[in-house]
Amino acid sequence: MKRLLNLSLCFICLLSLAVSHAQERIDGQLLPKLALNIPAGDIIERDYVTSGIVVEALKPDLQMVKDCFAPNGVLIDEDSRQALEGFEFDGAYYTAKYDDGVHMLVRDNQIYYNTHTGRCVTQTIALAGTSMLNDEASNGAGLSFKSARDVEMQAREILEKLSISGDIALTGCYAIDGRTLQSVTSEIIRDSDIRSDIRDGYIEIKLDWNENDDFYYLTFSQVFDGIPLDKDGFTSIRQDYYIEPSGIVMIISENGLECIKADGLVKQTGEKGEQKPLIGYEKALELLKAKYKRILKKDMRYVNGMHLCFVPAPVKGTPTLRKLVPIWYIRVCPEPDWPWEDSTRWTAFNAITGKEV
């Protein structure tokens, strides 16, 4: 079966966190005690949260995107030359491909840009998994061509040019060197199915990385009132609406930006909301324990992840607006260090009312 991989896989894989801790006995079974992994910073002890912040989808300006990424690009698609600002519109997305290998895709709340090299790096990460992203660069250190601090500043300048508004939090900065890419690629292509997909053009990947192929892989999140937007995607318990994941991934090399994947972008309207008491993480765990028998089956008894985020929920009668709802996510797995999402259960509670959502 042909596997069509896209950038979403690496963004999901990158941000999946798992921790294992001491256990306590509840109703004769074991439930791990938890620590929090909150990308936007330490918000564990806060007592209040702003409720009712209203946002709407960020609508990128096409000319601004083109000027930022491909001011002198030569389009290879003849139809695109006649389209708006050099983009072809298929009814949902504006797309453009250039003769130097640059691809762009734009729609409301979404911006994609990548070079051929950027696509190869993201495909390699998607195939290899998150193990190659465990070397987090510290501030002031990093790769030889630029420090981690300087590359973060470079990335933020790009986001500012794209008018991505609000507080933007750096949630990860990883250094990937050419030797690691070559070693990982050599392992990947041992799979005959992957070799077949590469040969048939379903997978775009580079086979001959060298020691000068060094990259920074950065992730950012839009933050409101100190709380990041949901990065995983949200389906309501009644399944009456679905919210796409939110987050920004950027890959930067010595040559500059190789890739940006920005999803779920929003901007705040004039309504700022009001302060309401926030359910802390300990209370959120108590809510989980109250539901323990129903949620945690015999083979799903470990909780090894938890985070607080905002979900932009629909507002009745206004299809373009969303109201930010604070949510506690709790991750339930078969084993303490379980890496697979297909057998993982996420449980979500409203962090103001305590209601499961």
Side-chain angles (χ1 to χ4, degrees), residues 222-288:
Q222 283 189 284
V223 176
F224 296 86
D225 191 30
I227 299 175
L229 292 183
D230 170 39
K231 62 183 175 58
D232 297 303
F234 178 84
T235 301
S236 69
I237 194 170
R238 297 188 302 274
Q239 297 187 346
D240 54 349
Y241 66 87
Y242 170 73
I243 304 298
E244 295 179 347
S246 174
I248 302 166
V249 172
M250 302 177 74
I251 298 175
I252 296 176
S253 72
E254 188 173 9
N255 297 323
L257 182 68
E258 303 286 359
C259 171
I260 180 170
K261 178 182 182 294
D263 289 301
L265 300 173
V266 300
K267 65 177 181 179
Q268 187 170 344
T269 66
E271 298 183 49
K272 298 181 179 180
E274 59 180 327
Q275 292 286 297
K276 289 190 176 181
L278 175 72
I279 291 176
Y281 75 97
E282 292 180 344
K283 175 62 176 177
L285 294 180
E286 291 298 324
L287 294 172
L288 178 68

Side-chain angles (χ1 to χ4, degrees), residues 62-63 66 70 73-89 94-98 104 106:
L62 293 176
Q63 184 62 54
K66 183 178 184 299
V74 179
L75 290 161
I76 60 174
D77 186 345
E78 189 67 30
D79 292 337
S80 295
R81 299 178 190 273
Q82 309 303 321
L84 182 61
E85 308 296 356
F87 286 81
E88 181 180 0
F89 185 61
Y94 291 94
T95 59
K97 295 183 179 180
Y98 295 87
M104 291 191 289
V106 182

Side-chain angles (χ1 to χ4, degrees), residues 17-21 32-37 303-306 331 336-337:
L17 301 174
V19 291
S20 175
H21 301 281
K33 293 182 179 179
L34 303 178
L36 295 183
N37 293 292
V303 179
N304 63 358
M306 183 174 183
R331 185 174 187 260
D337 295 304

Side-chain angles (χ1 to χ4, degrees), residues 96-111:
K97 295 183 179 180
Y98 295 87
D99 61 355
D100 58 357
V102 166
H103 292 181
M104 291 191 289
L105 179 151
V106 182
R107 71 164 183 169
D108 287 358
N109 82 5
Q110 195 173 65
I111 301 173

